[in-house]
Amino acid sequence: MPDLTFEFPADTVDLIAFDLDDTLAPSKSSLDPRMAGLLADLLEVVEVSVISGGQFGQFQSQLIAGLPATASASFGRLHLLPTCGTQYYRFDRGTDGTTGWQQQYAENLSTEQKTAALSALETNAKKLGLWESETWGPILEDRGSQVTFSALGQDAPVDAKKAWDPTGARKESLRAAVAPLLPELEVRSGGSTSIDITRQGIDKAYGMEKLAALTGIPLDRMLFIGDRLDEGGNDYPVKAMGVRTHAVAGWHDTADYVAAFIRSARSSAPV
């Protein structure tokens, strides 16, 4: 059970940003109905953002598809930042006149950068004995603005991921081997068995800064909730930049915290 004593009064928070995997839902899994309902309620109280290493398709299947139908009325208050904030989507009217999820920006890698990243990951994973022969989907993925290594494939079950690298040491050994080979790129730990590569200087802190610039909501009016806020974790850059944060150990912690935040926000709202 998380500490539900609010260090940050609800009336000082205009936007809550979340990590996705292991914060809102188990890795690559759909939202639990309780979490989905709480997010819908939260959208009525504050703006909400989700920033994660997954591509937009994962956001659609794992997050959007699980929200109750009533939440669609609040989609204008939901900000999606796939691939560690290298892309940004809002629910808006497009140039063709239709309303839907519209990409606001994408910090895409060049063809040369993607080729170098894919080659370095495969070569060194094989050299270190980390290239698995039996996987659940592709190990390497070109996400346009990000290249991702997933040791067991994109669709590996949660238990298999936890068993593959319980301490994170295997993943870190590959990251440490690849990073010096790609000095113009950012090489960081992603999810439980993944490594993400983006343009240099682009991480979740970059995504939060872009979010503040594009929404007009100052960083000091935001709160970030994630499960990897420890130094070296992929949520840590947000904490390091000074944004208020709350650490969780899984979606159950997040649900408890969000439920308490909603109660606090509604009780303090002007009548």
Side-chain angles (χ1 to χ4, degrees), residues 124-147:
N124 284 275
K126 289 178 176 178
K127 186 182 298 184
L128 293 168
L130 303 178
W131 189 267
E132 300 293 338
S133 57
E134 297 183 9
T135 64
W136 290 264
I139 293 175
L140 298 176
E141 187 176 4
D142 174 1
R143 297 178 176 176
S145 56
Q146 177 178 291
V147 167

Side-chain angles (χ1 to χ4, degrees), residues 39 44 112 149 178 191 202 267:
L39 284 176
E44 297 178 1
E112 293 76 14
F149 167 91
V178 169
I202 296 183
S267 66

Side-chain angles (χ1 to χ4, degrees), residues 29 33 50 64 66 73 160 186 193:
S29 302
V50 180
I64 301 300
E186 193 83 30
T193 61

Side-chain angles (χ1 to χ4, degrees), residues 161-180:
K161 290 182 178 183
K162 290 180 178 178
W164 188 81
D165 192 16
T167 67
R170 303 180 78 187
K171 180 177 61 175
E172 173 56 24
S173 68
L174 179 58
R175 189 210 64 79
V178 169

Side-chain angles (χ1 to χ4, degrees), residues 44-86:
E44 297 178 1
V45 175
V46 293
E47 305 262 330
V48 173
S49 173
V50 180
I51 178 168
S52 179
Q55 59 183 331
F56 182 63
Q58 180 187 337
F59 277 60
Q60 290 179 300
S61 61
Q62 189 176 354
L63 175 67
I64 301 300
L67 293 173
T70 54
S72 61
S74 301
F75 278 175
R77 295 163 62 84
L78 180 58
H79 310 267
L80 304 180
L81 290 93
T83 53
C84 295
T86 60

Side-chain angles (χ1 to χ4, degrees), residues 83-87 105 107-108 145-146 186 188 197-207:
T83 53
C84 295
T86 60
Q87 300 175 18
Y105 72 77
E107 304 287 359
N108 289 328
S145 56
Q146 177 178 291
E186 193 83 30
R188 73 180 71 82
I197 299 178
T198 62
R199 287 171 48 187
Q200 185 66 251
I202 296 183
D203 52 21
K204 290 187 179 181
Y206 174 89

